[in-house]
Amino acid sequence: MATKQPVSAACCIIGDEILNGKTRDSNAYFLARYLFDCGIDLKRVEVVGDDYEAIAQTVTRLSSQHDLVFTSGGIAPIVGPTHDDISYEAIARAYSLPLKLDDETCTAMQKVMSKRFPRWELTDARKRMATFPSPAKILRTNPDELWVPVVVVNDNIHILPGIPRLFERLMTLLKPTFEQMAAERGAGGRYYRVQVATKLGEGDIATLLSNIQDRVADQHIKIGSYPKWGVGEDGVRVMVSVVGRDEDAIKDIGDEIARGIEGWVHESVKSVHHDNV
């Protein structure tokens, strides 16, 4: 029987401000933890500037290689529209799609923004924020309070704003969708982790860990070694982490590693969950 493959994902962070150091990105960090909790494997994160060709090339390549793609940036639904809001247009160009004004998004924008700012008007410039590649899937999470949708192009490219609190809120509201996707694939579910401590150095245990990793790679189990700066508590020099979806297998491999590196189980098998996601 063929091994079931987990859902794979990639992220494209868009913005000159990230590349020139003006802004520190937090969305990739949030997304990594979020997808880990969903049982989805984030395989790649790339950063590109506000450049049509760079965005198009990167997103189309990632879309062809992964089940899910998430973009962050290049749209400004709170402060915008701005001159560098080019993500919708760049991705539309990449797939030779027209841009189309979405009336439902305009209505939601008018309703939400008018409550906050009584003199707010839906100008032609602001309509740019509701002009999307067409055809596209428009995911509306909470239009009575949050007019910004997640626009999905080519079935798997999810276009999101770069503002962290918006990015996080939208993704949080969509979490059941991605958890279900992972479950339907049959290779999803929570990750489990065991941590093994040793007084040996990384060089002393590298061969053993490499051999075990090669043996269990098709089970989607990852083994990592993390040296301590100096000698830690109880003489610990290296902490070995074993992560995967099969709880029993993780326990067995942890015990095997502990025996092979003259170590001990520092943290027993437990489900890994990021409570703040």
Side-chain angles (χ1 to χ4, degrees):
M1 180 183 295
T3 302
K4 295 178 179 179
Q5 296 297 317
V7 177
S8 69
C11 176
C12 179
I13 305 295
I14 299 167
D16 290 341
E17 69 277 9
I18 304 297
L19 292 174
N20 63 28
K22 179 179 181 295
T23 300
R24 177 182 294 180
D25 172 68
S26 64
N27 291 338
Y29 173 71
F30 173 87
L31 184 66
R33 293 162 64 87
Y34 170 101
L35 292 176
F36 188 90
D37 281 348
C38 290
I40 293 172
D41 289 354
L42 179 61
K43 293 294 190 180
R44 184 178 294 272
V45 176
E46 298 191 23
V47 183
V48 299
D50 296 310
D51 176 89
Y52 287 100
E53 185 174 352
I55 295 170
Q57 289 181 351
T58 302
V59 170
T60 53
R61 173 170 45 80
L62 295 178
S63 176
S64 69
Q65 296 172 345
H66 303 282
D67 298 307
L68 296 169
V69 177
F70 300 91
T71 72
S72 163
I75 57 175
I78 297 298
V79 299
T82 64
H83 70 284
D84 54 1
D85 292 348
I86 65 173
S87 290
Y88 291 138
E89 186 174 353
I91 294 171
R93 288 186 188 182
Y95 291 97
S96 300
L97 299 175
L99 290 165
K100 181 180 178 182
L101 181 66
D102 184 68
D103 292 332
E104 191 171 344
T105 300
C106 285
T107 300
M109 188 194 315
Q110 176 80 54
K111 181 178 179 180
V112 172
M113 299 305 290
S114 296
K115 287 181 181 178
R116 297 179 184 176
F117 308 102
R119 300 180 64 180
W120 190 90
E121 295 182 0
L122 183 61
T123 63
D124 287 340
R126 287 170 174 154
K127 287 180 181 180
R128 282 182 53 207
M129 298 186 291
T131 302
F132 309 136
S134 180
K137 183 184 296 183
I138 312 297
L139 304 181
R140 307 183 196 280
T141 55
N142 186 9
D144 290 334
E145 297 181 9
L146 184 62
W147 66 263
V148 186
V150 175
V151 178
V152 184
V153 175
N154 200 41
D155 293 328
N156 69 347
I157 302 168
H158 298 70
I159 308 171
L160 290 108
I163 300 170
R165 62 187 178 88
L166 276 180
F167 183 94
E168 293 176 13
R169 188 175 178 191
L170 287 165
M171 290 301 298
T172 299
L173 291 169
L174 289 173
K175 194 168 188 179
T177 299
F178 298 119
E179 288 178 328
Q180 181 180 355
M181 179 182 294
E184 289 176 351
R185 177 67 65 88
R190 295 291 183 201
Y191 280 95
Y192 293 89
R193 178 177 63 201
V194 63
Q195 297 195 80
V196 178
T198 181
K199 296 181 181 181
L200 300 179
E202 266 199 308
D204 300 320
I205 65 177
T207 299
L208 174 75
L209 296 184
S210 294
N211 290 339
I212 296 176
Q213 178 65 87
D214 289 343
R215 194 183 80 224
V216 302
D218 61 350
Q219 300 176 50
H220 305 294
I221 292 172
K222 295 290 187 179
I223 300 171
S225 62
Y226 306 94
K228 298 290 185 179
W229 185 258
V231 178
E233 183 182 355
D234 298 328
V236 175
R237 294 181 62 189
V238 179
M239 193 70 69
V240 177
S241 175
V242 184
V243 178
R245 293 184 174 89
D246 186 327
E247 183 177 7
D248 292 335
I250 296 303
K251 180 182 183 304
D252 291 343
I253 294 167
D255 290 342
E256 179 184 352
I257 290 173
R259 293 191 299 269
I261 64 174
E262 302 174 20
W264 62 95
V265 174
H266 182 268
E267 184 179 88
S268 299
V269 177
K270 68 177 184 180
S271 176
V272 182
H273 179 68
H274 300 115
D275 292 332
N276 65 332
V277 172

